[in-house]
Amino acid sequence: MDEARAWLDKLHALDFGRTVKIMNVCGGHERSITHAGLRGALPKWLELVPGPGCPVCVCPEEDVYQAIQLALRDKVILVAYGDMLRVPVNVRKGEVRSLAEAQAAGADVRPIASPLDARKIARENPGRPVVFFAAGFETTTAPTAAMLAEGVPPNLAILLSGRLTWPAVAMLLDSGSPGFDALVAPGHVSTVMGPEEWRFVVDRHEIPCAVAGFGTESLLASFYSVLRQLKTGERFLDNCYTEVAHPGGNPTAQRFMNAALDVVDANWRGIGVIPNSGYALKPALAQHDARVLFPDHADPGRRRAGEMPPGCDCAQVVLGKIYPNQCRIYGKACTPRNPVGPCMVSDEGACRIWWAGGVRVAADA
């Protein structure tokens, strides 16, 4: 607590005379910031903008739809991380709109916490196909790749919806109007891929950047670092998570990912296709690729640049263009009990985090 107070004092000693916006990419960072009440403790001129760091929020609608159809029509055992079960898709009234609704309709849908749970379920049910709907960023994709490298039962298939984090930030920066002055990069992703993966922010765009952990002290240190860079004109990639995020990242995890996965162009819900931003199973693993084994449900007609539901502004929230409570249906049609958009579903979704943090009213209310 004393260290956090010291960082806060340093931050309040700075004065810019204008609004400064820092984007925190990671949903885990947003959760820590909100639950610790940091926005209320920081200088009024400093704004923290949630970024595209929620894998549930950007998982393409067509992938969720395909998982639902696999569970309902092919009678597979469909396993997925718990948050994915409540993500809604756009369908006609009365149709199944989430994996949770498919489960209620009789499909065998099971929440899991680890890829090893998927392997265990497949081994316990050798006579049934098991599909692991694996959505996530590098930190959750790496364990899936490791499981594949170690070997899996023949009845286990992967519906992979893995994404890389940095290309979405690169897209924002390349747009010419990113909407932020500095960046706090995700600690867990940097632990896997290496902090230097974020050097392009500084080298190519001359925007201050710091890697942060999830404790209050690390986050405050990262805010101070990038603000000092803005103040002095210096530009460098700072690492405020040195105890975990080491240079080069985790070579074992990277080796597993390189062995099992290819980097491909990928669709982000509400955003569209971002080049080289997704993972796909290598052709040598086609016998475990649900997209190869069940091609009939990969409906091309559902590829609509990952549309959000009508009235939902989740895409703008993910891109840091608006705050969660500025969404047109925040706290109205869309609540955690009845989520319309994916950002209200996940514990890493900015809308769900803000709601849990006590923001229960839309900005225009």
Side-chain angles (χ1 to χ4, degrees):
M1 185 61 70
D2 289 343
E3 185 180 351
R5 169 51 61 189
W7 284 117
L8 276 173
D9 289 343
K10 288 184 176 182
L11 286 163
H12 278 277
L14 297 171
D15 185 15
F16 280 81
R18 65 176 179 90
T19 298
V20 178
K21 293 186 177 183
I22 300 175
M23 174 173 278
N24 47 281
V25 176
C26 179
H29 284 166
E30 181 59 30
R31 187 168 58 243
S32 295
I33 288 165
T34 301
H35 289 182
L38 288 185
R39 282 189 175 85
L42 291 169
K44 299 300 182 186
W45 47 263
L46 178 57
E47 291 188 23
L48 304 179
V49 182
C54 169
V56 173
C57 304
V58 302
C59 181
E61 188 207 16
E62 61 267 21
D63 287 6
V64 183
Y65 180 80
Q66 184 173 3
I68 293 169
Q69 299 310 308
L70 288 170
L72 286 172
R73 295 165 57 181
D74 287 293
K75 305 300 182 184
V76 306
I77 300 175
L78 195 291
V79 301
Y81 296 126
D83 282 351
M84 294 306 305
L85 269 61
R86 300 182 67 234
V87 178
V89 297
N90 303 331
V91 292
R92 290 189 295 270
K93 189 174 181 179
E95 292 185 23
V96 172
R97 65 192 290 267
S98 70
L99 284 168
E101 290 187 8
Q103 184 185 51
D108 194 344
V109 176
R110 307 182 191 183
I112 60 172
S114 161
L116 298 183
D117 295 336
R119 186 169 67 183
K120 181 174 182 288
I121 291 170
R123 286 174 173 168
E124 292 172 346
N125 297 271
R128 295 187 62 189
V130 177
V131 175
F132 173 25
F133 180 26
F137 288 131
E138 296 92 334
T139 46
T140 48
T141 302
T144 300
M147 177 189 69
L148 286 165
E150 291 172 354
V152 295
N155 62 321
L156 178 59
I158 312 295
L159 179 60
L160 185 61
S161 193
R163 297 292 181 268
L164 290 84
T165 313
W166 71 264
V169 175
M171 180 202 69
L172 282 172
L173 293 173
D174 289 337
S175 71
S177 55
F180 54 90
D181 302 290
L183 186 83
V184 170
H188 283 166
V189 170
S190 298
T191 299
V192 175
M193 308 304 289
E196 58 274 10
E197 186 174 60
W198 297 96
R199 195 177 301 281
F200 77 94
V201 177
V202 176
D203 292 349
R204 194 169 14 167
H205 300 280
E206 298 185 346
I207 288 179
C209 182
V211 173
F214 300 87
T216 302
E217 293 82 1
S218 180
L219 283 165
L220 291 173
S222 71
F223 301 157
Y224 183 76
S225 173
V226 296
L227 290 170
R228 280 287 298 165
Q229 291 182 51
L230 286 172
K231 199 75 170 171
T232 64
E234 294 181 272
R235 296 292 184 268
F236 60 91
L237 173 64
D238 201 0
N239 184 3
C240 300
Y241 199 33
T242 54
E243 64 271 30
V244 177
H246 302 144
N250 186 325
T252 302
Q254 293 173 29
R255 186 170 66 251
F256 283 137
M257 295 169 81
N258 291 335
L261 309 173
D262 287 325
V263 174
V264 298
D265 297 347
N267 194 20
W268 293 52
R269 189 172 188 178
I271 299 172
V273 175
I274 302 178
N276 300 314
S277 67
Y279 290 108
L281 268 62
K282 286 187 176 293
L285 291 169
Q287 72 273 23
H288 295 294
D289 192 340
R291 299 183 191 280
V292 175
L293 299 174
F294 304 95
D296 52 319
H297 301 313
D299 181 359
R302 298 194 62 79
R303 291 194 172 275
R304 301 176 302 208
E307 284 184 357
M308 295 295 180
C312 171
D313 296 318
C314 276
Q316 295 300 301
V317 174
V318 166
L319 293 172
K321 302 298 184 183
I322 64 172
Y323 290 107
N325 64 333
Q326 292 176 316
C327 173
R328 289 168 288 173
I329 58 175
Y330 179 92
K332 300 171 185 174
C334 187
T335 65
R337 187 180 292 274
N338 182 37
V340 175
C343 292
M344 192 62 90
V345 172
S346 171
D347 284 342
E348 292 191 346
C351 295
R352 176 68 176 268
I353 292 168
W354 278 44
W355 183 275
V359 180
R360 302 294 173 85
V361 181
D364 61 355

